[in-house]
Every structure is written in C-alpha cells, then in structure tokens.
C-alpha cells in the first residue's frame, strides 16, 4: 500500500487576523494547516507532521527563528516569513505561491 503524503503547513505565532487569512489561502490550496502559538510547540510538531511549509512573522525574535529554522532544515520544510504590515493582497499572493510549492513538493515525494 502506497502512502500518500498530505501537504501540511504550520502557522507559528501569527496574529489572529493574519493566521485566519493564511489558513483560508492554504486550505484553498489543499494544504492541511496546523496553528501553534509559539516556537516550542512548533518544534515538537515539526518532526512528527513533517510539514512542507512553516509560516512565521518577520517580528519573530532571531533566536526563536534560528531554533525553528534548524528543525525545518532537518525535515526539508520551507519557511515563509510574513511581514504583518504587508497588504492582505500581497500576503495572500505569497502564501498562495508557497502553498502551490508545498503541494508540488508533497506530490513529488
């Protein structure tokens, strides 16, 4: 029996509005979305869920980003850093592109 990978994204520490917008765009792209409030929770889930995409705010402190990025490198996940001051339209376009890439990555596995 062949295992079919479910493309997954984890949203880490995003504001409610930004997380909701990202979740909608990712769901429209057939990406399963997990939302966590902080880096420690994400670091625990990354090796288990093996996500293709991690979405974080550009406001995340550097030491937290480094911790998260190390986990992402280990599983081959890409990190998308979103500036909360970017327009919704531009953010949605970035997330949509990242979702498409995550889907292609999952299908290529």
């Amino acid at each position: 029996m062949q295992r079919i990978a479910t493309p997954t994204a984890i949203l880490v520490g995003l504001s409610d509005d930004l997380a909701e917008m990202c979740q909608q765009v990712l769901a429209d792209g057939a990406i399963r979305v997990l939302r966590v409030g902080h880096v420690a929770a994400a670091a625990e889930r990354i090796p288990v869920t093996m996500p293709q995409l991690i979405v974080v705010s550009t406001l995340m402190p550097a030491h937290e980003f480094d911790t998260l990025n190390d986990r992402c490198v280990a599983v081959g996940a890409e990190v998308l850093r979103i500036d909360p001051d970017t327009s919704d339209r531009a953010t949605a376009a970035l997330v949509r592109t990242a979702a498409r890439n995550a889907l292609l990555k999952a299908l290529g596995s």
Side-chain angles (χ1 to χ4, degrees):
M1 190 175 222
Q2 184 178 6
R3 181 178 181 269
I4 299 172
T6 302
T8 304
I10 299 178
L11 310 180
V12 183
L14 300 180
S15 68
D16 288 341
D17 292 341
L18 189 54
E20 287 175 23
M21 191 268 299
C22 289
Q23 189 161 0
Q24 181 62 46
V25 171
L26 291 165
D28 289 347
I31 307 292
R32 182 175 70 141
V33 179
L34 302 173
R35 183 175 176 199
V36 297
H38 50 83
V39 172
E44 289 178 8
R45 287 174 177 82
I46 289 170
V48 175
T49 60
M50 302 288 287
Q52 287 75 31
L53 178 65
I54 306 294
V55 181
V56 301
S57 170
T58 55
L59 302 177
M60 178 179 281
H63 70 279
E64 288 185 355
F65 178 77
D66 291 342
T67 298
L68 193 63
N69 196 48
D70 287 345
R71 295 287 178 130
C72 292
V73 168
V75 300
E78 293 191 34
V79 179
L80 176 62
R81 297 181 81 180
I82 295 179
D83 184 344
D85 293 330
T86 301
S87 72
D88 287 349
R89 187 177 193 164
T91 298
L94 288 171
V95 173
R96 193 173 300 111
T97 299
R100 188 177 319 117
N101 292 339
L103 185 59
L104 291 172
K105 188 175 194 174
L107 294 175
S109 305

